[in-house]
Amino acid sequence: MKNGVITSINELPNPILGLIEVTDRCNLNCPICFRRLKNVDQDEVSNDLDFSEIIERLERLKRERPNIDPTVALTGGEPTLRDDLPDLIAKIHTMGFKRTEVMTNGIRLAKDVGYVKDLRRAGVSQIGLQFDGFNDKAYLLMRGKELAETKRRALDNLKSARQATILAACIMKGINDGEIGSIIDFAIHNKDFVEHVNFQSFLRNQHNCYKFDLACIFDKESIVSSIECQTNKRIRKEHFTSPAAILPVPEFIEAVSKKPQKQYFPLFHEDCNLTTYVYVAKNKTLIPVQEALDMETLLKYLEKVTLDLNNPGLVGKKTFLMAKLTFNMFQLIKNRIFRKMLFSSILKKEFDPLANLKEVLMISCENYMGEHQFVYERNEKCGLFFLENEDIIRPFCQQE
């Protein structure tokens, strides 16, 4: 660490998402972009990171942190400008990484459904589609181009390929903050391929500050308030919590499985993220997880059971403790749908019980730090990092 800034892989407490900028080329020139990128045509290849260099960085990550398994996110620039992206994804999976993500503006996906299918065949876990709503005026201001129709075609192709998708929406005050409800509604009606809606605050820095002022920043609390209003209170403020608040879940799974879980868990700073999970019924009725169970009571109970399971004096009573747990969980979780999902996920011994379940929509609100609000304490807890050359890493909000 230098001057309070993380620089090494080994300094990260909980790396869960490793980003690699596979190119600095981009086929857009977004006014809100916080990176220095080279706007180029599709055919120019000079600034792509070598395939072998990408693999070397990931091999180094495996050597330095063998006990972690972060999602590998390929970004840029615009990663789909690379024709070898499917080969790269396939190779990453053969290295033992379980999850991959491509962060894209969707322009190539809109034009080439075959490329979408190639990515899916290669094993990509999720496509993170930059999706700021349905309004061309907003796209023109934020992305420098009218893109509503392009986004629609990209979504059609992702749906036809049955490719799991995250809608990544940057929300800016006075520009597209009125689109929040429409984005969630689209996700609800397309739950067959949309797994997650990730609302993001505008990350303002030296590259874009002259175009937009601080008044445009819409923080996570403002986003959550808008979600409540624009969903007619079907999803409310109290349904959201910081991921760190549900730490008793991975601690319990660790006690049951005797396999490390906490180092995979997103223990972000409380100011970074708010998240909820919503069950989407076939008739599109919504049941937020907090409506189906008393979360606070459940977490306190899991804490107690975890202490008992880790107590050497109670080793012989593990079967009894698990039977008691099962009975009490049925009492605490009244909704049979969540009861079934929670038990099935606990049996799979996954630290995040509701993630990646086909009936559940994840909604998260990210509060990125711009230069005007950089806090070292938050930076030190970041789980999102750029994997750069040599042993260098850079937490997501840390400036270049």
Side-chain angles (χ1 to χ4, degrees):
M1 185 177 294
K2 297 178 181 179
N3 298 320
V5 176
I6 291 174
T7 59
S8 169
I9 294 170
N10 287 315
E11 293 172 358
L12 285 171
N14 57 313
I16 63 163
L17 181 69
L19 301 105
I20 299 184
E21 296 168 313
V22 297
T23 180
D24 67 358
R25 299 181 295 142
C26 191
N27 47 10
L28 284 178
N29 190 16
C30 299
I32 69 169
C33 188
F34 58 91
R35 303 304 313 271
R36 263 199 206 96
L37 299 173
K38 183 176 182 182
N39 184 253
V40 298
D41 294 328
Q42 169 82 28
D43 297 330
E44 189 172 343
V45 297
S46 59
N47 287 282
D48 287 357
L49 189 64
D50 286 346
F51 192 105
S52 60
E53 170 64 17
I54 296 168
I55 301 307
E56 285 174 11
R57 293 184 186 186
L58 290 170
E59 287 174 341
R60 187 175 69 249
L61 179 61
K62 283 282 190 185
R63 288 194 305 271
E64 297 289 333
R65 299 294 292 270
N67 294 322
I68 66 168
D69 184 25
T71 296
V72 176
L74 305 178
T75 182
E78 173 51 45
T80 64
L81 293 179
R82 294 184 67 124
D83 291 329
D84 64 353
L85 198 62
D87 296 332
L88 184 55
I89 290 165
K91 175 62 177 177
I92 291 170
H93 283 288
T94 65
M95 296 173 68
F97 290 96
K98 294 178 183 177
R99 292 187 57 77
T100 52
E101 180 181 331
V102 171
M103 297 180 170
T104 175
N105 58 34
I107 292 176
R108 184 167 185 179
L109 307 189
K111 295 177 180 178
D112 187 356
V113 68
Y115 188 77
V116 178
K117 292 176 180 178
D118 287 344
L119 293 173
R120 192 175 191 281
R121 280 191 291 266
V124 68
S125 305
Q126 288 180 318
I127 296 292
L129 178 67
Q130 179 192 91
F131 186 76
D132 305 318
F134 304 89
N135 189 326
D136 264 333
K137 183 178 178 181
Y139 280 115
L140 190 60
L141 289 169
M142 298 170 66
R143 306 296 175 182
K145 190 174 183 180
E146 295 181 347
L147 291 169
E149 177 61 21
T150 297
K151 302 293 181 177
R152 186 195 64 77
R153 291 198 307 269
L155 288 165
D156 286 345
N157 288 342
L158 288 163
K159 186 180 181 75
S160 68
R162 299 193 298 276
Q163 174 58 57
T165 300
I166 302 171
L167 302 181
C170 180
I171 301 298
M172 300 184 69
K173 188 174 182 179
I175 296 179
N176 69 333
D177 51 310
E179 297 261 37
I180 291 172
S182 298
I183 293 170
I184 291 175
D185 192 58
F186 178 86
I188 290 167
H189 285 85
N190 291 276
K191 186 64 196 67
D192 55 329
F193 78 105
V194 177
E195 295 185 340
H196 179 185
V197 179
N198 179 229
F199 293 110
Q200 306 164 355
S201 62
F202 167 48
L203 202 169
R204 183 177 182 269
N205 69 2
Q206 59 184 331
H207 302 318
N208 57 29
C209 63
Y210 67 95
K211 299 173 184 174
F212 299 95
D213 61 32
L214 295 175
C216 291
I217 296 176
F218 213 57
D219 62 20
K220 68 184 191 310
E221 286 80 12
S222 300
I223 293 172
V224 168
S225 294
S226 293
I227 289 173
E228 179 174 292
C229 178
Q230 294 179 35
T231 63
N232 295 317
K233 295 190 174 182
R234 290 184 297 167
I235 305 170
R236 300 191 299 277
K237 295 177 186 178
E238 60 264 31
H239 294 151
F240 287 84
T241 187
S242 167
I246 55 174
L247 180 60
V249 176
E251 288 181 332
F252 166 73
I253 299 299
E254 187 171 303
V256 172
S257 66
K258 301 304 179 185
K259 295 179 181 179
Q261 299 290 330
K262 284 181 289 185
Q263 69 263 41
Y264 306 132
F265 194 70
L267 299 178
F268 299 123
H269 191 279
E270 62 183 10
D271 290 336
C272 293
N273 182 288
L274 289 171
T275 299
T276 192
Y277 297 95
V278 180
Y279 174 79
V280 181
K282 289 182 180 179
N283 64 359
K284 307 307 177 186
T285 299
L286 305 185
I287 307 175
V289 63
Q290 286 84 355
E291 295 288 317
L293 53 88
D294 182 339
M295 182 70 76
E296 184 177 354
T297 301
L298 176 62
L299 293 175
K300 286 181 179 178
Y301 179 65
L302 286 179
E303 284 182 331
K304 181 181 182 305
V305 173
T306 300
L307 287 173
D308 289 342
L309 290 170
N310 289 330
N311 186 340
L314 298 176
V315 171
K317 296 185 177 181
K318 184 173 181 179
T319 301
F320 169 75
L321 290 170
M322 292 303 293
K324 183 179 178 182
L325 167 72
T326 301
F327 175 79
N328 286 331
M329 293 281 263
F330 269 86
Q331 300 301 308
L332 287 168
I333 306 173
K334 303 299 184 183
N335 186 286
R336 64 178 181 83
I337 296 167
F338 276 98
R339 187 185 293 164
K340 178 182 176 182
M341 288 192 295
L342 188 60
F343 274 101
S344 65
S345 61
I346 284 175
L347 289 173
K348 289 188 290 185
K349 297 181 174 61
E350 293 181 352
F351 69 83
D352 192 349
L354 299 178
N356 307 315
L357 295 177
K358 64 180 181 179
E359 305 96 337
V360 175
L361 177 67
M362 180 179 179
I363 303 175
S364 58
C365 306
E366 303 282 354
N367 219 32
Y368 293 139
M369 291 189 293
E371 291 177 334
H372 68 288
Q373 57 178 178
F374 190 82
V375 178
Y376 288 122
E377 182 184 358
R378 285 178 60 182
N379 189 61
E380 290 171 359
K381 289 187 176 182
C382 190
L384 283 63
F385 65 100
F386 288 98
L387 187 62
E388 300 185 336
N389 59 337
E390 299 176 353
D391 186 36
I392 298 173
I393 63 92
R394 177 167 50 83
F396 187 86
C397 292
Q398 188 171 299
Q399 302 301 309
E400 300 172 76

